Amino acid sequence: MNATALPARTEVAVVGAGPAGLALAVTLASAGIDFVVLDKLAEGANTSRAAVVHARTLEVLDELGASEELIARGVKVTRFAVRDGARRLLTVPFDKLPTPHPYTLMVPQYETESVLLDRLRALGGDVHRPYEVASVVQDEEGVTLTMTTGETLRAAHAVGADGMHSTVREAAGIGFTGNAYAESFVLADMVMDWVPGPDEVSLTFGTLGLAVVAPLPGGHYRVVATVDDAPAAPGLDFVQKLLDERAPGQAQVTGMAWSSRFRVHHRVADHYRAGRLLLAGDAAHVHSPAGGQGMNTGIQDGYTLGRAFATGRLDGYEAQRRPVAQRVVAFTHRMTSVATTRSSVARAVRNLALPLLGHTPMPRKLATELAELNYR
């Protein structure tokens, strides 16, 4: 497949070359199904965005022949710590989970995309760039995708793996039910001295909001935090002040690799299929970054949909994956609501209850839910 020459037709047109689209393409290539992957960017994004790869996703990547290389590029973490400031409230362990991968892998999203793209190329596929889809029209015989250049691609089916503002979802007339969070989120990759260290992911509650700090390769740390009104490009001083407020005495920031501000929605597509048009990844579901499950759910969508094409069971795709998205959205919304409550009474109850729950099966159940092992 030539990455610059657009063929006239294909069996499956995949719109979007993020993790979900690439996982779908690798699955299709492995099954010998003809496909074309289209992406509007001239090259893959080099910002890290999602950074957590959970156990179930690694199991899927085992099946796709892509896990070994990705694991080599990441940092294995075996526990999440829930804190209020510097005080540890609960530890969520991953090292006893029933999986070949009893840990969470911390690795920037561009590395995940790079590994999947390398695997796709090893199977003879590639991504066609830059091709932005302007319109998608289906009929009884297939789907016509028209590019902004005027070029067209005819396909038997088209899959929207093109993000929250999906052109394919809009063309399919599928609703995207849900709401947006009032707060904005800061995302930054920092160089810093962090007292809890690189062996855990820390989810820290504070009266001013939630902060998550997670290790990344190369000695960096990912910081994700809720802020009422964050600057468009949060600077080093802003992140230091934020951590001083949320985790006093725990962080000394010395450098910044990248930062961003974004708004988060919690939404699920009303359907995952309309005729010959299907959805996967952020085109089908978006939610809070608490727990780091967005990219994981998308990769699993892509794999499941690819297998559905291979087995001729497309009718079962929505029934299999949409309930998973609903559960993930509800779960992450509860986590975010508990973490960001402004009620002093609710915070006091939460901080009393979590240490008690640490002596019950709850931490293991929470680890299983985060790792997405319930979704096999």
Side-chain angles (χ1 to χ4, degrees), residues 159-300:
V159 178
D162 49 345
M164 189 175 110
H165 304 290
S166 170
T167 300
V168 176
R169 190 185 64 241
E170 184 176 337
I174 296 173
F176 205 31
T177 300
N179 291 292
Y181 288 102
E183 304 95 342
S184 57
F185 281 74
V186 167
L187 187 154
D189 289 353
M190 312 301 297
V191 180
M192 65 186 190
D193 295 322
W194 174 243
V195 172
D199 297 325
E200 66 181 34
V201 174
S202 294
L203 190 157
T204 301
F205 302 146
T207 57
L208 297 175
L210 166 71
V212 177
V213 179
L216 287 176
H220 289 191
Y221 286 89
R222 160 62 53 84
V223 177
V224 182
T226 55
V227 180
D228 284 341
D229 190 18
L236 189 149
D237 291 343
F238 182 90
V239 176
Q240 179 69 70
K241 182 174 183 292
L242 185 152
L243 291 172
D244 287 343
E245 293 169 345
R246 312 283 172 94
Q250 302 292 292
Q252 182 60 52
V253 175
T254 57
M256 173 179 286
W258 179 74
S259 72
S260 180
R261 173 195 67 189
F262 59 101
R263 296 272 176 188
V264 174
H265 294 242
H266 48 105
R267 300 180 184 274
V268 179
D270 294 347
H271 296 284
Y272 276 25
R273 183 183 184 186
R276 295 178 175 273
L277 306 181
L278 300 105
L279 305 176
D282 287 356
H285 47 79
V286 291
H287 50 81
S288 166
Q293 292 182 282
M295 180 182 71
N296 290 272
T297 308
I299 288 173
Q300 293 169 48

Side-chain angles (χ1 to χ4, degrees), residues 136-162:
V136 180
V137 179
Q138 65 172 320
D139 54 50
E140 291 184 2
E141 303 297 326
V143 183
T144 300
L145 299 93
T146 304
M147 313 300 140
T148 53
T149 59
E151 295 169 88
T152 61
L153 172 66
R154 185 71 173 165
H157 294 88
V159 178
D162 49 345

